[in-house]
Amino acid sequence: MKTIKGPGIFLAQFAGDATPYNSLDSIAAWVASLGYKGIQIPSWDKRLFDLDRAAESQDYCDEVAGIAASHGLAITELSTHLQGQLVAVHPAYDAQFDGFAAEHVRGNPAARQAWAVDQVKKAATASRRLGLSAHASFSGALAWPYMYPWPERPAGLVEDAFDELARRWRPILDHLDQEGVDIGYEIHPGEDLHDGVTFEMFLERVGNHPRANILYDPSHFVLQQLDYLAFIDIYHDRIKCFHVKDAEFRPSGRSGVYGGYQSWVDRPGRFRSLGDGQVDFGAIFSKMAANDFDGWAVLEWECALKHPEQGAAEGAPFIDRHIIRVTEHAFDDFAAGGADRDLNKRIMGIS
């Protein structure tokens, strides 16, 4: 068995224009002071990281790693959640997702997609330069508007959408393979890969590509009422990244899974700071240890109620308490009698 690394923290929700959140050096010093040992870096935020430079320059990657190391931190993964989203965008969301893209490709879906593909490939190369084995992203979505359809979907629509999704991702996956990096798709409502069934549909279409893997975040399963512990049993071989995020689901006579278009505070399903929700992290960390997950346990803080600084401060000790330092021997080894086949035969009455 292997011991999970951590605690780590995803910087995306904390980056800002004010100190200490506006540079990699200052935000790294802040999270280190809270007890974190790793940082997951949003590759789109130039206040913290220059993806174009990282893809081209080993010296720049060494500089970034050195800044983290100067605060006692490792880089856990790079993230291209925003760029990965843009690999596949249904036209209904064009206006909303344009803001994720570089200005020169906004208003041009084809150019935006090409830019997004290039960005994810650059992140794969930068990950290799940084010595990372995994990368965090989104799949994007072409079929999501038809998730709960009325009128009924035309025959073959979902199959065609997943065929196209696989066609767009296959060259990226091949590039990841060349760089020796796995991608962990965050299984997330709003993405075409939002549960185990949809992940399997995609995986089949990319030929069970070895680099097509999972970012496991139990909070999204709570909101879907999916068994997040059984998910680990089924897909543990494909789980390469782990977001530690809490959530709760409180159905009522007025609203359920879809939330009634309400704000996050009022939805039955909502994200919470670690320890304030319903996720059984003790069971999750036990299953991760039993299945030899040796990646990072990374806080992704999202909460409708608590201040982010409080959530970050509470997150590091919470994760640290749940990390299981796996044993190197069985607890009852002291009573073992050693291997003796003649004794075994006598015990079983075999002559």
Side-chain angles (χ1 to χ4, degrees), residues 94-336:
D94 271 338
Q96 292 157 278
F97 282 143
D98 250 5
F100 290 178
E103 286 189 21
H104 70 279
V105 298
R106 292 175 187 171
N108 186 334
R112 185 185 63 204
Q113 180 198 335
W115 173 85
V117 169
D118 182 63
Q119 286 278 293
V120 181
K121 286 182 175 180
K122 285 179 176 176
T125 301
S127 294
R128 187 256 303 164
R129 290 187 182 280
L130 289 163
L132 306 177
S133 61
H135 173 69
S137 197
F138 276 149
S139 67
L142 298 172
W144 182 255
Y146 312 102
M147 183 271 297
Y148 197 82
W150 175 251
E152 185 53 64
R153 292 183 291 258
L157 178 68
V158 170
E159 290 77 9
D160 289 348
F162 273 79
D163 288 346
E164 177 64 17
L165 188 69
R167 186 192 68 79
R168 295 185 187 190
W169 274 102
R170 184 60 192 253
I172 305 173
L173 292 169
D174 289 343
H175 181 75
L176 283 154
D177 197 36
Q178 292 170 13
E179 300 291 7
V181 178
D182 293 317
I183 192 167
Y185 294 108
E186 185 166 356
I187 305 301
H188 187 296
E191 309 302 311
D192 278 342
L193 308 191
H194 59 270
D195 60 9
V197 171
T198 51
F199 176 72
E200 291 177 21
M201 290 167 61
F202 176 75
L203 193 61
E204 179 183 5
R205 285 166 169 80
V206 294
N208 293 309
H209 202 292
R211 297 301 178 181
N213 291 291
I214 291 169
L215 187 163
Y216 174 79
D217 181 336
S219 69
H220 301 300
F221 299 157
V222 170
L223 270 56
Q224 294 184 76
Q225 294 295 280
L226 186 154
D227 188 333
Y228 55 83
L229 296 177
F231 186 95
I232 299 174
D233 294 333
I234 299 167
Y235 300 108
H236 58 84
D237 287 342
R238 290 280 179 173
I239 295 174
K240 303 298 181 182
C241 307
F242 176 22
H243 273 175
V244 188
K245 190 169 76 175
D246 213 342
E248 62 186 356
F249 184 68
R250 308 158 299 123
S252 71
R254 299 180 64 242
S255 185
V257 169
Y258 303 111
Y261 298 115
Q262 298 177 96
S263 69
W264 276 110
V265 171
D266 297 321
R267 294 182 196 181
R270 59 187 184 178
F271 302 128
R272 299 299 308 275
S273 281
L274 289 184
D276 295 343
Q278 299 168 347
V279 176
D280 185 351
F281 285 105
I284 287 173
F285 275 81
S286 293
K287 282 187 177 289
M288 292 296 226
N291 286 294
D292 285 339
F293 178 76
D294 63 348
W296 282 86
V298 176
L299 168 70
E300 184 184 26
W301 178 88
E302 290 180 347
C303 183
L305 300 175
K306 187 169 285 185
H307 193 282
E309 290 182 358
Q310 183 181 358
E314 294 173 351
F318 183 94
I319 293 173
D320 197 49
R321 288 196 305 271
H322 282 82
I323 290 176
I324 297 170
R325 181 184 174 189
V326 299
T327 182
E328 297 174 354
H329 54 79
F331 64 88
D332 55 357
D333 276 358
F334 74 93

Side-chain angles (χ1 to χ4, degrees), residues 85-94 97 112 140-142 168:
Q85 181 76 65
L86 300 183
V87 171
V89 175
H90 187 278
Y93 301 109
D94 271 338
F97 282 143
R112 185 185 63 204
L142 298 172
R168 295 185 187 190

